[in-house]
């Protein structure tokens, strides 16, 4: 049982979360430096699995930029270390951070502008969750057994790409816990879903939880960004539309 009332309700409870350890720490450090370079002032947490994932250089280098480090194993003592060094760490970290409104960024998703404006968009305020689209369907296809397992029909929805997502944990608490339950059973669910990304979609849809799906994107070969939003679909606010289109545009 988790108490919803334990979460702060102030706007100052926004933060960035990354999951990184071992070989991903260098790229996470670059993400942190980019966020600070572009003027982001929100707290940044990096979650890892086991103290041996944090080399000697990392702690002082990250703390210098206002990052706090958190070992997910302190909260998941009964879960295998190997599991928590994979996709399941994402939902566990988001659930266990003490702050309420969360923007998760993959350690290899490099911003080229301040992302904090996303918390101020009308789409976020109305839906309390923003997800971004994947460039193609992977495992959530027609006639796959996953639809029988979740008790829902295939309906052709765009798959999520969860290298970047944000939501209000209190508003989305039940859906987030359902996604965490699926990741807890990753040995089963990952046979039918592509890691954590599909568990978010399945959980949000199963519980009819509101979300906004950002504009379509496609991948481009660049060191600095995995995505470029084409802007075929626009946010209703013209100001935020241009901001979202330039989110990862070099």
């Amino acid at each position: 049982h988790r108490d919803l009332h334990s979460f702060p309700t102030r706007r100052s409870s926004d933060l960035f979360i990354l999951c990184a350890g071992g070989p991903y720490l260098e790229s996470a450090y670059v993400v942190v430096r980019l966020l600070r370079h572009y003027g982001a002032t929100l707290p940044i947490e990096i979650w890892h699995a086991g103290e041996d994932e944090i080399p000697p250089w990392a702690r002082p280098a990250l703390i210098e930029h206002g990052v706090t480090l958190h070992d997910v194993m302190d909260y998941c003592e009964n879960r295998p270390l190997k599991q928590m060094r994979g996709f399941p760490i994402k939902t566990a970290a988001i659930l266990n951070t003490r702050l309420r409104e969360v923007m998760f960024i993959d350690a290899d998703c490099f911003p080229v502008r301040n992302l904090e404006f996303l918390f101020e968009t009308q789409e976020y305020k109305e839906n309390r969750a923003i997800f971004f689209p994947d460039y193609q369907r992977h495992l959530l296809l027609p006639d796959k057994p996953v639809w029988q397992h979740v008790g829902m029909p295939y309906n052709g929805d765009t798959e999520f790409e969860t290298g970047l997502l944000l939501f209000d944990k209190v508003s989305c608490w039940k859906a987030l816990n359902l996604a965490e339950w699926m990741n807890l059973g990753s040995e089963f669910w990952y046979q039918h879903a592509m890691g954590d990304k599909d568990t978010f979609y399945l959980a949000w849809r199963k519980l009819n939880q509101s979300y906004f799906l950002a504009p379509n994107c496609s991948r481009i070969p660049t060191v600095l960004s995995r995505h470029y939003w084409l802007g075929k679909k626009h946010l209703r606010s013209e100001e935020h539309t241009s901001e979202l289109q330039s989110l990862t545009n070099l």
Side-chain angles (χ1 to χ4, degrees):
H1 173 72
R2 298 177 190 268
D3 182 4
L4 289 178
H5 299 290
S6 64
F7 291 110
T9 58
R10 297 170 297 170
R11 289 292 295 151
S12 60
S13 61
D14 303 348
L15 85 157
F16 297 108
I17 285 186
L18 295 86
C19 292
Y24 297 102
L25 265 179
E26 288 86 352
S27 61
Y29 177 74
V30 173
V31 173
V32 168
R33 292 297 304 270
L34 285 169
L35 287 170
R36 296 304 190 217
H37 172 75
Y38 290 114
T41 59
L42 291 178
I44 301 174
E45 294 182 356
I46 290 183
W47 288 68
H48 58 95
E51 284 301 319
D52 61 316
E53 284 207 308
I54 306 300
W57 68 265
R59 194 173 297 276
L62 292 165
I63 290 174
E64 179 182 353
H65 298 284
V67 177
T68 57
L69 295 165
H70 304 264
D71 188 346
V72 75
M73 299 311 296
D74 291 340
Y75 304 85
C76 305
E77 295 178 354
N78 297 323
R79 295 173 69 169
L81 181 64
K82 181 179 179 180
Q83 181 192 51
M84 300 313 295
R85 288 183 172 176
F87 294 129
I89 191 176
K90 187 180 293 188
T91 50
I94 294 171
L95 273 170
N96 285 291
T97 180
R98 300 305 300 168
L99 300 186
R100 170 175 174 169
E101 297 185 57
V102 173
M103 186 182 303
F104 182 92
I105 309 173
D106 269 351
D108 60 352
C109 188
F110 302 97
V112 294
R113 61 152 303 145
N114 189 340
L115 306 180
E116 293 173 340
F117 80 92
L118 289 169
F119 284 115
E120 303 302 327
T121 60
Q122 192 64 31
E123 287 72 22
Y124 176 73
K125 293 177 181 178
E126 291 178 357
N127 297 283
R128 311 307 293 166
I130 293 180
F131 290 100
F132 289 79
D134 208 336
Y135 72 104
Q136 69 175 44
R137 294 188 178 92
H138 298 275
L139 296 181
L140 299 185
L141 301 171
D143 303 321
K144 291 291 186 179
V146 63
W147 306 114
Q148 294 179 338
H149 296 315
V150 297
M152 298 186 297
Y154 171 81
N155 66 1
D157 282 350
T158 300
E159 291 188 12
F160 293 170
E161 209 307 316
T162 55
L164 178 66
L165 55 85
L166 64 153
F167 47 73
D168 174 357
K169 288 168 56 177
V170 172
S171 299
C172 303
W173 191 243
K174 290 182 180 180
L176 179 57
N177 274 271
L178 180 55
E180 162 70 345
W181 176 80
M182 298 176 79
N183 283 276
L184 181 64
S186 59
E187 289 187 1
F188 172 79
W189 287 107
Y190 287 7
Q191 298 178 54
H192 307 287
M194 182 172 279
D196 66 275
K197 80 180 200 72
D198 289 342
T199 66
F200 282 103
Y201 165 76
L202 293 169
W204 256 250
R205 182 180 163 198
K206 181 68 176 179
L207 296 181
N208 197 29
Q209 180 69 49
S210 177
Y211 67 89
F212 178 77
L213 187 66
N216 289 333
C217 66
S218 60
R219 300 188 180 209
I220 59 173
T222 172
V223 175
L224 288 178
S225 176
R226 297 186 307 166
H227 301 115
Y228 171 69
W229 276 268
L230 300 177
K232 294 180 179 178
K233 298 179 181 178
H234 298 290
L235 298 177
R236 286 187 291 277
S237 165
E238 184 176 349
E239 175 186 357
H240 291 316
T241 296
S242 61
E243 288 177 332
L244 186 60
Q245 285 178 296
S246 65
L247 183 61
T248 55
N249 183 5
L250 297 179

